[in-house]
Amino acid sequence: MRGEPLDAETIVSATEEVLRRHGPEKATVVDVARLLGVSHGSVYRHFPSKVALREAVIRRWLDRVRDELTEAIAEPGLTQPERLRRLLTTMFAAKWAKARVDPELFATFRVLAIEHSAESSAHVDFLLAQVRAVVADGIASGEFAAGEPDVIARAVLGATSRFHDPKHAEDWRSTEIEADAEAVIELLLRGLRSRSDT
Amino acid sequence: MRGEPLDAETIVSATEEVLRRHGPEKATVVDVARLLGVSHGSVYRHFPSKVALREAVIRRWLDRVRDELTEAIAEPGLTQPERLRRLLTTMFAAKWAKARVDPELFATFRVLAIEHSAESSAHVDFLLAQVRAVVADGIASGEFAAGEPDVIARAVLGATSRFHDPKHAEDWRSTEIEADAEAVIELLLRGLRSRSDT
């Protein structure tokens, strides 16, 4: 038995470790309790079910990505094109790093994201809203050409699927992925800036 | 036994049908021969192995896509932005139609494309070359801004992965996919046209 009181954060970390070791199919609440050296009742006091526990794991990962993204574009003095570039490269880098360094856990996150589709949809909505806000700011400042921010934000995320959609996780091992992402971002920024002179 | 002489084209069509019915794991040369009412020796006279037969199926599908694309941009009098738009929408539509109308066979094509990776790589090279040629023509005519056609062609295909990469076949059932593709193509064309005035 552990000395310190058991908190939710510690349980979520232990669950990540169990998922990493056993995979999403086999991981159980008993495994989590065993790793922590507590009874499974102690885990259930914080998370009423295995589903709730798994949801907490995916939510923490998504929350961290959200925090990173918010921080990346918070720096004062950035132009809107610079903010959009940062938003996208930070989003890609967070996923690439996870998929490369910890592919088992990343694969698990994918399973969990499909299981908890409400969390995943909320995350996509968050990403869309972030891109949309930068696009709208850029249109307001004249750095981007006039347009419908909702449509443009969807287009920007759609055009960068290869770099953020987990379906492409295998592509992220390629050494060319950084240069490819850079070329796409450059082309998109040119499109966003361009006057409709055609 | 059939009356007409057996040709390679007929065997490939029968193989498609067998693949559709039994799936890529279970389909055999004997199934193909049975469907045609011939001995499996007759099939082997045209295709020395099961591998050669499967390769012929994926090659015919890719050849047809190639022909469609070549035809789509052959019409005289088109501007380069129009040709690029046609090239992309024809490429997407060919895949969307197959994945929607005949999802089993499309899934089989994916398996075969992975099996015969040389055919697939050649196809990607063909697509890249087509896009590259239109981009280069557009730069030469002044319809597109100056740039490196190889890099730009890769960026255009990368930015449209969501619409042509079979990993996204599930997305293609969405009624929003046409509008999404349209918005991305529009943004890319603006990026290609834009003077480097920033």
Side-chain angles (χ1 to χ4, degrees), chain A residues 9 24 57 66 77 88 98 134 147 150 171 177 186 191:
Chain A
E9 191 72 15
V57 169
R66 269 184 269 243
L88 294 173
K98 201 73 177 177
V134 176
D150 287 313
D171 300 342
I177 198 76
E186 197 53 45

Side-chain angles (χ1 to χ4, degrees), chain B residues 74-89:
Chain B
E75 191 181 315
L78 296 172
T79 66
Q80 301 309 327
E82 282 166 353
R83 291 180 77 220
L84 186 57
R85 181 188 296 276
R86 279 199 183 200
L87 187 59
L88 294 173
T89 54

Side-chain angles (χ1 to χ4, degrees), chain A residues 4-197:
Chain A
E4 325 94 77
L6 189 64
D7 62 18
E9 191 72 15
T10 306
I11 296 173
V12 172
S13 296
T15 307
E16 270 195 6
E17 185 53 35
V18 165
L19 286 164
R20 186 184 284 118
R21 288 186 200 174
H22 301 301
E25 287 79 21
K26 292 190 187 154
T28 67
V29 173
V30 172
D31 294 323
V32 175
R34 190 177 298 136
L35 181 64
L36 290 166
V38 302
S39 70
H40 62 273
S42 310
V43 174
Y44 281 123
R45 259 193 294 283
H46 288 271
F47 297 98
S49 67
K50 182 174 160 181
V51 170
L53 188 50
R54 290 160 78 100
E55 191 180 349
V57 169
I58 189 68
R59 185 181 294 140
R60 185 169 79 173
W61 151 244
L62 295 177
D63 280 349
R64 284 182 181 169
V65 173
R66 269 184 269 243
D67 290 347
E68 270 186 68
L69 292 178
T70 309
E71 197 185 335
I73 59 171
E75 190 181 315
L78 296 173
T79 65
Q80 300 309 326
E82 283 165 352
R83 292 181 76 219
L84 186 57
R85 181 187 294 276
R86 280 201 183 199
L87 188 58
L88 294 173
T89 54
T90 305
M91 187 195 307
F92 306 163
K95 298 200 177 184
W96 297 351
K98 201 73 177 177
R100 285 171 183 171
V101 174
D102 206 344
E104 290 79 16
L105 191 57
F106 189 74
T108 295
F109 283 149
R110 289 187 63 182
V111 173
L112 265 52
I114 293 165
E115 244 174 48
H116 302 281
S117 56
E119 288 291 321
S120 310
S121 303
H123 188 67
V124 172
D125 289 346
F126 169 83
L127 296 177
L128 263 177
Q130 292 283 91
V131 173
R132 189 198 176 286
V134 176
V135 167
D137 286 352
I139 292 172
S141 69
E143 291 165 287
F144 294 146
E148 182 48 66
D150 287 313
V151 175
I152 295 171
R154 270 185 78 88
V156 168
L157 278 189
T160 53
S161 291
R162 185 159 174 247
F163 311 112
H164 63 76
D165 190 319
K167 293 187 189 87
H168 290 274
E170 299 238 329
D171 300 342
W172 302 342
R173 287 191 225 145
S174 159
T175 51
E176 290 173 335
I177 198 76
E178 270 92 357
D180 283 353
E182 180 51 40
V184 168
I185 292 174
E186 197 53 45
L187 192 52
L188 294 176
L189 285 175
R190 283 172 65 165
L192 288 169
R193 288 183 186 124
S194 82
R195 310 293 122 216
S196 313
D197 53 5

Side-chain angles (χ1 to χ4, degrees), chain A residues 145-147 151-152 154-156 158-163 165 167-168 170-171 176 180 183-184 187-188 190-198, chain B residues 145-147 151-152 154-156 158-163 165 167-168 170-171 176 180 183-184 187-188 190-198:
Chain A
V151 175
I152 295 171
R154 270 185 78 88
V156 168
T160 53
S161 291
R162 185 159 174 247
F163 311 112
D165 190 319
K167 293 187 189 87
H168 290 274
E170 299 238 329
D171 300 342
E176 290 173 335
D180 283 353
V184 168
L187 192 52
L188 294 176
R190 283 172 65 165
L192 288 169
R193 288 183 186 124
S194 82
R195 310 293 122 216
S196 313
D197 53 5
T198 45
Chain B
V151 175
I152 295 171
R154 269 186 79 87
V156 168
T160 52
S161 292
R162 184 159 176 247
F163 311 111
D165 190 320
K167 294 188 188 90
H168 291 274
E170 299 239 326
D171 300 342
E176 291 174 334
D180 283 352
V184 168
L187 192 52
L188 293 176
R190 282 172 64 166
L192 287 170
R193 287 184 186 122
S194 80
R195 309 291 124 216
S196 314
D197 54 3
T198 47

Side-chain angles (χ1 to χ4, degrees), chain B residues 6-69:
Chain B
L6 189 64
D7 63 18
E9 191 71 16
T10 305
I11 297 173
V12 171
S13 296
T15 307
E16 272 195 5
E17 185 53 35
V18 166
L19 286 165
R20 186 185 284 117
R21 288 186 198 173
H22 301 300
E25 287 80 21
K26 293 189 188 155
T28 66
V29 173
V30 171
D31 294 324
V32 175
R34 190 177 298 135
L35 180 64
L36 290 166
V38 301
S39 69
H40 62 274
S42 310
V43 174
Y44 282 122
R45 258 193 294 282
H46 288 272
F47 297 98
S49 66
K50 183 174 161 182
V51 169
L53 188 49
R54 291 160 78 99
E55 190 179 351
V57 169
I58 189 67
R59 185 181 295 142
R60 185 169 79 173
W61 152 243
L62 295 177
D63 280 349
R64 284 182 180 170
V65 173
R66 269 183 270 242
D67 290 347
E68 270 187 67
L69 293 178

Side-chain angles (χ1 to χ4, degrees), chain B residues 103-120:
Chain B
E104 290 79 14
L105 191 57
F106 188 74
T108 295
F109 283 150
R110 288 187 63 182
V111 172
L112 266 51
I114 293 165
E115 246 173 47
H116 302 281
S117 56
E119 288 292 320
S120 311

